[in-house]
Amino acid sequence: MPPLLKRLLFAIPAAALLAASSNAAGIADLHQAFEHPPDNARPMVRWWWFGPGVTTTELGRELRAMKAGGFGGAEVQPVYPMALDDPQIGFHNFPYLSDGFINALRFTNQTAHDLGLRIDLTLGSGWPYGGPEIDITKASARLRCDRVTVPQDATSIAMPYLENGEKLIAVFLAKGEGRQFSPDGIQQLAIAKGERLPIPSGVSGPHVVLYFISSRTGQQVKRPAINAEGFVLNHYDRAAIETHLTHTADRLMEAFGSNPPYAVFSDSLEVYQADWTPNMLEEFRKRRGYDLTPYLPALVGDIGDKTAAVRHDWGLTLSELADDNYLKPLTEWAHAHGTKFRSQTYGTPPVTMSSNALVDLPEGEGVTWRNFSATRWASSASHLYNRPVTSSETWTWLHGLVFRATPLDMKAEADLHFLQGINQLIGHGWPYSPPMAGYPGWHFYAAAVFNDNNPWWIVMPDITKYMQRVSFLLRQGKPANDVAIYLPTADVFSRFTNGRDTVNGGMSQYMRNVVPQVLDAGFNFDFIDDNAIASIGIPHPILILPDVERIPVAAYQKIEAYAQKGGIVVAVGRTPGLAPGLMNAERDTAQIRTISHTLFEGASAKGHLVQNADTLGKDLAGWFTPDVRFSAQASALGIVHRKVDSGEIYFIVNTTNQPVHTEATFRVKGLKPVWWNPFNGAEEGVQGTSADGAAVKLDLAPYESRVLVYSAQGMAAPTSPANPPSPIDLGSDWKVTLNGRTFDMAKLQSWTDYPGDKYYSGKATYEKTVSVPSAMTHSGGAVYLDFGPGTVVPPGRLGNGMRAWMESPVREAAQVYVNGTLAGPVWHPPYRVDVTKLLKPGQNSIRVVVANLALNALAGQSLPNYHLLNLRYGERFSVQGTQDIQALPSGILGPVKLAVE
């Protein structure tokens, strides 16, 4: 044996012991932080200031309530008014950016700073950015195409009428009529200087004239505060964003002094039909190397084999302009003012996934975890570009009806964001609601309410602590995702048409068959795009090309090199075969086809072609060991894997209303598993593992989530008593204090069954004395106060948002006290509380404080009439779902028992 190899082999045991010792300390420290996570991992809320009609008294009270509820801070978002100025009651709306508004913002920032809360600020009112400072020359732009059928034997037709901000840029004559035209024989005409356009002689048969006009979308800022109304700005025009920053952002920052906001925010890029800018032709020629003008008909119809290439180049140019003239200036401005830029970088204008690299804090939105979503689009960019925190707009439209969302709804949706790589929740949201608004108070037109007007607020600190722990844990180490799924951005660009130009909006068709196969095979994934491949390469062991037709040569060359070095490249459906753009198309297409041939054909091929996506998962598992394998099909389970120096972290979620029982085998070696409870931080040994600890029995209740940590340090699994005593039925004879009175409830039932309590929203106290035998308190097992499994609701469709398809046996949440001491909350499956340490042999007092929905109170009231408000300010919002408002069951519905496990 060579001396060097001998020394290395004998050194291994000592090195392993040192590593084990270091890892044990590391995992212990991590667990301690998990038990008591830092405040910066707390969920935040979007704080709607209506009007803004705010007072410092109420602002201070709501900030203190946020902190008490476990929220880490708020994003201030001024929106539409909810009430008219009324001197008789002292109510006043401060116009946006007025001294009164700035003073309120200054007070809020200082108070939040004193409370240790984070404040973010939307750099505008409503969304997208815009307002009175944006004149028509800086308003969002679009390409307008007027199609005019040429009458038979006509020698001229009228030139189009141009509105303010418009310019005629090109005219074409084509065979066709109405909105249809043929790709054959399209001819460009000179722009007439008079009021009529001459028609060339010799034109026979139906023809149509296409007038291409550089126009404006006319879109107005959505849901603006008073004096924030106006055009949405042109996101391709740097002068437009500079105007907005000077007029609005600089004024807002006057409120912050030496304590700038943690971040400034840009909401959804919902600039509809924004597919143009007045200097587009100049920018296009500079960036793409040819004149777009002769090819303009390709943007509205088919011009033949060059159509897709032209559309690609147009889309790419739009994307670059949005990056250069919107995202970059905003990030520069934020840094110059001592803050960060947080952005929902998706939608229209057609930014790409890698556009997120231009912002400090990428943010997603959406709960779709088994297909494409803007949420994973954001987290993937963070993983690729080393952004440790990714936020998401969470609970938008939750349960579809105001005041209908439950604590379980909150958890069920939050978990879907966690599964997509999110580790900072921005709750949507918290409506400012003064005492004059009455109960249950003001609410945003399209959202659930998460302020302290909810009776179930009593468990909000428990809900937010769960989310804080998970958010903290999912920031540790690095994501351990094996698969990169290539985003066919060039293909999506090539399918752009006039008024339809969003990159993320075109991705689902490529992912709907691929993503489930990857997940069900036991892998997790990130998206990756051309810009990421160009700048950082491919950091994953597996790359999937989903039905990709067009691909830039430079990206494909890097993919080929990646495969040569051992990377697994999988093409699904077909292999790439076309260059994306018009310039050098023949040369680039030849290179692309050569790479495809080298990668996927012949005995020396390094890549794999999967013709049918239905076999993708099985094939992947044959080429690479899955991160986790299940003994039975488990599509309901979602898993996030983070790798830390001291071990492996798995966050596991049952995403459905049915229990899951399976065995999971994790791709770990030489490490031992321990459960970490995300609700209380406790550790627990794992039952039902294989000898090496890699295989673990999973039993998850509906919507349950757990954390499994592998490290050098194991823990003995708890044991259950061999002969546990019989459960004690507690389903009858409770003393109930409700709505100002106390009475006996012989059998548990909804308090809405009592006529006087149907519309009562609030808390009720259930009390009972129970005789507990010593056989139960000394059984050696855990004793639970169990409220039953809950009621499964058949999944249906909501108009918007999501919900948990389960109703609690305790509507909607409770706090349990045993012998005067708080035992714990009840708000999620399994609906039970461990009371082992609080029970004693003999008589025990049990008190359960139950809280229902604020919806019941709303159902008993007349709905507000906004007639005068709308006359004064225009109809800026429309309350959703009022026809579905009704009182819902409330209280403990049973069964209830004390049981040993």
Side-chain angles (χ1 to χ4, degrees):
M1 180 182 294
L4 177 60
L5 180 57
K6 187 174 182 179
R7 290 199 304 271
L8 286 173
L9 287 175
F10 279 103
I12 288 175
L17 287 174
L18 289 173
S21 175
S22 174
N23 288 345
I27 211 70
D29 291 342
L30 181 59
H31 179 260
Q32 186 175 19
F34 176 71
E35 284 187 289
H36 307 285
D39 287 347
N40 63 12
R42 289 182 171 194
M44 293 180 58
V45 287
R46 179 169 297 174
W47 193 8
W48 293 295
W49 288 12
F50 296 106
V54 296
T55 67
T56 56
T57 299
E58 180 61 24
L59 290 171
R61 189 203 71 78
E62 294 192 12
L63 283 169
R64 291 187 293 273
M66 288 177 196
K67 183 169 184 176
F71 291 105
E75 165 207 309
V76 176
Q77 171 60 278
V79 290
Y80 53 82
M82 290 286 285
L84 294 167
D85 288 6
D86 190 339
Q88 290 186 340
I89 61 174
F91 179 78
H92 176 68
N93 289 292
F94 294 110
Y96 186 62
L97 301 184
S98 66
D99 289 345
F101 170 77
I102 294 298
N103 288 336
L105 193 58
R106 182 178 293 113
F107 169 85
T108 297
N109 185 56
Q110 185 60 53
T111 304
H113 185 266
D114 294 343
L115 291 171
L117 296 175
R118 167 180 162 182
I119 286 292
D120 286 10
L121 178 67
T122 300
L123 285 185
S125 171
W127 72 97
Y129 287 173
E133 75 278 13
I134 301 300
D135 61 38
I136 192 62
T137 67
K138 296 181 178 66
S140 61
R142 72 182 180 105
L143 180 66
R144 179 161 72 91
C145 179
D146 275 4
R147 297 168 172 85
V148 180
T149 300
V150 179
Q152 187 69 28
D153 300 325
T155 59
S156 67
I157 60 172
M159 293 287 284
Y161 176 81
L162 300 180
E163 296 184 272
N164 291 345
E166 291 190 325
K167 180 182 179 181
L168 180 63
I169 56 176
V171 183
F172 293 84
L173 180 67
K175 297 176 182 177
E177 56 186 332
R179 298 188 61 81
Q180 303 301 316
F181 62 88
S182 168
D184 300 324
I186 299 174
Q187 56 179 308
Q188 185 175 353
L189 306 180
I191 297 176
K193 296 182 180 180
E195 294 183 352
R196 295 190 66 79
L197 175 74
I199 300 300
S201 60
V203 171
S204 60
H207 276 71
V208 61
V209 168
L210 309 176
Y211 290 114
F212 286 91
I213 300 164
S214 175
S215 184
R216 306 289 170 171
T217 69
Q219 183 177 344
Q220 303 292 298
V221 173
K222 298 173 70 173
R223 323 303 174 196
I226 295 171
N227 278 16
E229 310 87 348
F231 287 117
V232 170
L233 63 82
N234 181 356
H235 288 56
Y236 307 117
D237 181 359
R238 187 165 187 132
I241 188 60
E242 294 290 355
T243 297
H244 181 75
L245 291 173
T246 300
H247 174 272
T248 300
D250 288 349
R251 171 62 169 157
L252 290 169
M253 292 303 291
E254 293 177 17
F256 290 86
S258 60
N259 292 319
Y262 181 86
V264 292
F265 177 58
S266 172
D267 204 346
S268 309
L269 294 179
E270 297 176 353
V271 191
Y272 305 117
Q273 297 185 325
D275 59 11
W276 199 256
T277 191
N279 65 340
M280 179 67 178
L281 294 175
E282 175 187 345
E283 287 288 345
F284 188 96
R285 185 182 297 106
K286 179 173 65 176
R287 295 168 185 266
R288 303 283 81 83
Y290 66 96
D291 185 9
L292 176 61
T293 307
Y295 300 102
L296 285 173
L299 310 187
V300 298
D302 181 13
I303 65 167
D305 58 6
K306 295 181 179 180
T307 302
V310 171
R311 290 179 179 180
H312 165 274
D313 291 346
W314 168 52
L316 178 59
T317 303
L318 291 173
S319 185
E320 291 175 352
L321 289 172
D323 286 352
D324 292 344
N325 296 327
Y326 184 71
L327 295 177
K328 288 180 181 179
L330 276 166
T331 301
E332 292 165 2
W333 182 93
H335 294 175
H337 288 80
T339 185
K340 304 175 189 289
F341 180 39
R342 177 166 63 87
S343 175
Q344 291 184 2
T345 311
Y346 69 91
T348 304
V351 289
T352 66
M353 188 202 72
S354 280
S355 297
N356 283 286
L358 303 175
V359 309
D360 301 303
L361 300 169
E363 178 161 303
E365 179 183 358
V367 298
T368 303
W369 70 285
R370 289 177 61 84
N371 196 343
F372 178 85
S373 76
T375 301
R376 199 182 294 263
W377 154 289
S379 69
S380 297
S382 291
H383 295 165
L384 292 165
Y385 291 103
N386 197 29
R387 303 291 193 268
V389 175
T390 312
S391 58
S392 63
E393 179 183 306
T394 315
W395 308 316
T396 308
W397 298 96
L398 188 64
H399 215 127
L401 180 65
V402 68
F403 293 114
R404 179 60 182 91
T406 69
L408 180 59
D409 290 331
M410 291 181 70
K411 178 190 184 299
E413 174 164 336
D415 286 344
L416 297 185
H417 290 266
F418 291 143
L419 289 179
Q420 297 179 79
I422 295 303
N423 51 23
Q424 174 66 67
L425 303 177
I426 311 290
H428 188 279
W430 183 294
Y432 172 93
S433 188
M436 62 154 284
Y439 185 82
W442 287 345
H443 59 272
F444 193 63
Y445 80 103
V449 174
F450 302 106
N451 63 20
D452 54 347
N453 283 343
N454 287 295
W456 52 258
W457 177 264
I458 60 173
V459 299
M460 186 63 87
D462 303 287
I463 299 169
T464 54
K465 183 63 75 174
Y466 163 79
M467 296 167 185
Q468 182 183 359
R469 281 197 182 95
V470 176
S471 294
F472 162 75
L473 201 63
L474 296 184
R475 297 179 186 183
Q476 306 312 302
K478 297 290 184 181
N481 296 338
D482 296 314
V483 176
I485 301 180
Y486 177 83
L487 293 173
T489 307
D491 281 328
V492 173
F493 280 151
S494 73
R495 290 172 171 81
F496 276 12
T497 57
N498 186 213
R500 297 181 179 180
D501 57 325
T502 166
V503 175
N504 59 284
M507 288 295 173
S508 290
Q509 62 178 319
Y510 295 95
M511 304 298 164
R512 64 172 58 98
N513 296 324
V514 170
V515 169
Q517 285 286 317
V518 172
L519 294 174
D520 291 346
F523 298 96
N524 215 329
F525 70 94
D526 292 310
F527 296 124
I528 195 167
D529 67 3
D530 301 312
N531 289 337
I533 291 173
S535 59
I536 65 170
I538 306 165
H540 303 70
I542 304 170
L543 174 69
I544 296 176
L545 308 176
D547 200 34
V548 176
E549 183 179 22
R550 291 172 174 80
I551 190 168
V553 169
Y556 211 18
Q557 288 171 335
K558 287 213 167 189
I559 292 171
E560 182 183 27
Y562 161 84
Q564 294 295 333
K565 294 177 181 179
I568 299 173
V569 180
V570 183
V572 179
R574 62 178 164 188
T575 61
L578 289 176
L582 190 61
M583 295 294 286
N584 305 313
E586 185 175 344
R587 181 200 65 192
D588 290 353
T589 292
Q591 291 186 54
I592 288 165
R593 290 175 178 173
T594 297
I595 295 173
S596 284
H597 178 80
T598 302
L599 270 179
F600 299 104
E601 298 179 28
S604 61
K606 300 290 186 181
H608 306 273
L609 173 60
V610 177
Q611 296 283 3
N612 188 339
D614 292 342
T615 69
L616 175 62
K618 181 180 178 181
D619 292 335
L620 287 175
W623 298 320
F624 198 84
T625 302
D627 194 10
V628 58
R629 289 170 292 170
F630 300 109
S631 60
Q633 205 277 339
S635 296
L637 288 182
I639 294 182
V640 177
H641 180 190
R642 303 282 299 189
K643 186 176 184 63
V644 297
D645 291 340
S646 50
E648 311 286 340
I649 299 169
Y650 290 92
F651 175 65
I652 307 168
V653 181
N654 179 3
T655 64
T656 71
N657 61 3
Q658 299 294 324
V660 171
H661 306 287
T662 188
E663 183 179 80
T665 301
F666 296 89
R667 192 182 59 207
V668 295
K669 291 183 179 180
L671 299 176
K672 302 172 184 178
V674 175
W675 290 118
W676 288 9
N677 189 322
F679 299 101
N680 58 24
E683 289 182 292
E684 183 179 300
V686 179
Q687 293 179 326
T689 64
S690 59
D692 62 357
V696 174
K697 184 180 179 182
L698 295 182
D699 294 293
L700 281 82
Y703 299 110
E704 186 177 4
S705 54
R706 308 188 76 178
V707 172
L708 186 66
V709 177
Y710 278 93
S711 71
Q713 296 297 306
M715 186 177 187
T719 58
S720 299
N723 297 297
S726 299
I728 300 175
D729 182 10
L730 304 181
S732 60
D733 301 323
W734 290 81
K735 183 175 72 174
V736 179
T737 301
L738 166 70
N739 202 7
R741 71 188 196 284
T742 300
F743 59 95
D744 293 326
M745 185 179 285
K747 291 291 183 182
L748 291 171
Q749 64 185 107
S750 170
W751 76 55
T752 57
D753 293 342
Y754 303 103
D757 302 314
K758 181 175 182 179
Y759 300 113
Y760 172 69
S761 290
K763 297 189 288 286
T765 300
Y766 292 70
E767 296 176 281
K768 187 177 182 65
T769 299
V770 183
S771 178
V772 179
S774 59
M776 179 169 281
T777 57
H778 295 85
S779 66
V783 185
Y784 292 95
L785 182 60
D786 192 327
F787 293 86
T791 303
V792 171
V793 178
R797 295 180 62 87
L798 294 174
N800 289 292
M802 69 152 290
R803 60 161 293 184
W805 298 99
M806 170 164 281
E807 298 292 6
S808 170
V810 180
R811 303 290 293 270
E812 293 300 329
Q815 291 174 314
V816 175
Y817 297 81
V818 176
N819 295 321
T821 300
L822 179 64
V826 180
W827 58 273
H828 62 85
Y831 295 104
R832 63 183 190 178
V833 176
D834 188 339
V835 296
T836 310
K837 296 180 180 179
L838 300 180
L839 286 178
K840 62 185 179 181
Q843 298 299 302
N844 292 261
S845 67
I846 296 178
R847 176 161 54 95
V848 184
V849 179
V850 182
N852 70 338
L853 298 171
L855 183 69
N856 286 23
L858 189 65
Q861 303 171 4
S862 297
L863 297 177
N865 187 335
Y866 298 111
H867 176 66
L868 293 178
L869 184 72
N870 292 340
L871 288 176
R872 174 64 181 85
Y873 296 114
E875 188 172 348
R876 303 192 182 196
F877 66 97
S878 178
V879 179
Q880 309 290 305
T882 55
Q883 71 279 2
D884 297 321
I885 295 176
Q886 58 180 313
L888 295 173
S890 303
I892 303 176
L893 306 185
V896 184
K897 63 182 179 182
L898 277 174
V900 175
E901 183 177 301

